[in-house]
Amino acid sequence: DAGPVILVDPMLATGGSAARAVRMLRAAGARDLRMLCLVAVPEGVARVHEADPAVTIYTAAMDRGLNERGFILPGLGDAGDRLFGTA
């Protein structure tokens, strides 16, 4: 047993990329799969659990939801823009 696999993403918004990553990690043999994020919304949590209800999600904050563009409200802004200075 390889032990737990931790999927890390700063923000769990729509959950699309996280759900895809969960499927890929399961296909690679991950059994004890956990997700760690700073901010999540109910829509993203639901999407990940639709892909795999056994994934445990740890988050520092649960924001209220998504806007019409799929951005977290109130949110922190785009994590990629913040990391790479592109905004």
Side-chain angles (χ1 to χ4, degrees):
D1 184 16
V5 173
I6 301 174
L7 171 60
V8 179
D9 195 346
M11 296 184 292
L12 178 55
T14 65
S17 57
R20 175 79 173 133
V22 164
R23 287 191 295 272
M24 292 172 67
L25 289 166
R26 290 290 191 207
R31 286 191 267 171
D32 181 2
L33 183 54
R34 306 169 194 197
M35 182 168 187
L36 177 65
C37 54
L38 294 176
V39 179
V41 293
E43 298 93 328
V45 171
R47 178 92 179 262
V48 170
H49 283 156
E50 285 172 16
D52 189 330
V55 175
T56 301
I57 300 172
Y58 300 94
T59 185
M62 182 69 80
D63 276 355
R64 69 175 177 257
L66 300 173
N67 68 13
E68 66 281 349
R69 296 179 58 202
F71 293 153
I72 294 175
L73 294 172
L76 302 169
D78 186 279
D81 288 342
R82 288 184 181 275
L83 285 171
F84 301 108
T86 55

